[in-house]
Amino acid sequence: GQQVMQIPQYQHVQEGEDFTTYCNSSTTLSNIQWYKQRPGGHPVFLIQLVKSGEVKKQKRLTFQFGEAKKNSSLHITATQTTDVGTYFCAGDAGNNRKLIWGLGTSLAVNP
Amino acid sequence: DGGITQSPKYLFRKEGQNVTLSCEQNLNHDAMYWYRQDPGQGLRLIYYSQIVNDFQKGDIAEGYSVSREKKESFPLTVTSAQKNPTAFYLCASGTGFAMNTEAFFGQGTRLTVV
């Protein structure tokens, strides 16, 4: 079946270091979404990417959608303690119109 | 304030009892979803509804039931047939008919069955 693999599962960084999480799909996606879930909280939408090769930035966060629309990445520059949480990607393969969720990358930031 | 509200935040039930989780939204969204989240397993879709009086099974619908009598409300019943009901349940809503639009999540309900 359709799968979205997300790596790494966990990442521990010092404050100020960069962080990247990757999503890889077994099928071509029509779009991909990224969410952040703080510890004990609920997922909050960050962004949606639709176009092949698309790059979007939100302050220190950079989101990329691969040329083949099968992979995506989220890069955080100079992490802060407020970046702590789990980052999920969710892809839409377009055929059954349901989102397929990655398992998330949990980010811990040492002050 | 517009948003999506789940209640209660924490719920304890005895094994063998049915329990209903509430989800209400005032965002005027057509689509509503129920997800289950277990540690290390991400989000799994239980049921979804794209229009009033219609809903579809997700990937793990066994042991659950839903109704969509009003646009604003999408309650989830966890029945005694659900083998492992202890989990974090998240309700979400989205604009439009397609499920590939941004999802707005409620605060979640942590269900513990003892």
Side-chain angles (χ1 to χ4, degrees):
Chain A
Q2 297 161 353
Q3 287 188 324
V4 172
M5 307 299 292
Q6 194 171 350
I7 57 170
Q9 189 174 2
Y10 303 100
Q11 185 82 56
H12 211 132
V13 300
Q14 286 295 130
E15 190 171 20
E17 291 181 340
D18 292 356
F19 159 77
T20 305
T21 173
Y22 301 90
C23 272
N24 295 294
S25 169
S26 56
T27 58
T28 301
L29 301 171
S30 61
N31 68 67
I32 194 159
Q33 299 174 18
W34 285 91
Y35 291 79
K36 176 184 178 180
Q37 184 176 23
R38 294 182 185 275
H42 60 281
V44 175
F45 176 83
L46 293 176
I47 208 159
Q48 178 172 280
L49 304 172
V50 179
K51 298 177 184 175
S52 169
E54 189 170 14
V55 177
K56 286 188 176 180
K57 292 190 176 185
Q58 291 178 350
K59 297 183 180 178
R60 295 178 295 105
L61 277 61
T62 302
F63 304 85
Q64 293 189 341
F65 201 10
E67 294 290 340
K69 300 183 77 173
K70 283 189 172 184
N71 55 70
S72 182
S73 65
L74 158 59
H75 179 82
I76 302 178
T77 304
T79 54
Q80 300 175 358
T81 54
T82 53
D83 295 324
V84 166
T86 300
Y87 292 86
F88 291 96
C89 62
D92 171 26
N95 51 359
N96 60 8
R97 312 183 91 179
K98 288 189 295 182
L99 286 178
I100 306 164
W101 290 77
L103 296 185
T105 295
S106 292
L107 173 64
V109 179
N110 280 345
Chain B
D1 285 338
I4 182 163
T5 303
Q6 288 185 246
S7 61
K9 190 172 182 179
Y10 299 96
L11 190 55
F12 294 87
R13 278 295 181 269
K14 290 185 178 180
E15 195 171 341
Q17 290 182 334
N18 290 358
V19 61
T20 297
L21 281 57
S22 170
C23 179
E24 304 278 332
Q25 55 99 358
N26 59 6
L27 299 167
N28 200 33
H29 287 166
D30 288 310
M32 296 188 75
Y33 330 118
W34 273 104
Y35 288 95
R36 170 180 172 142
Q37 187 174 36
D38 296 282
Q41 293 202 42
L43 276 69
R44 293 186 289 169
L45 184 64
I46 305 173
Y47 267 98
Y48 63 99
S49 169
Q50 293 168 300
I51 199 167
V52 174
N53 292 323
D54 187 51
F55 49 82
Q56 307 294 329
K57 291 183 179 180
D59 300 315
I60 56 165
E62 186 175 348
Y64 300 97
S65 66
V66 293
S67 63
R68 186 86 187 275
E69 297 176 2
K70 297 187 298 182
K71 188 175 185 177
E72 301 80 18
S73 179
F74 192 40
L76 173 74
T77 296
V78 184
T79 75
S80 56
Q82 168 51 231
K83 298 281 188 269
N84 185 19
T86 295
F88 186 41
Y89 290 88
L90 287 158
C91 179
S93 69
T95 59
F97 190 76
M99 291 187 62
N100 58 0
T101 55
E102 173 187 350
F104 294 79
F105 284 86
Q107 301 287 329
T109 293
R110 290 195 184 276
L111 174 64
T112 302
V113 176
V114 296

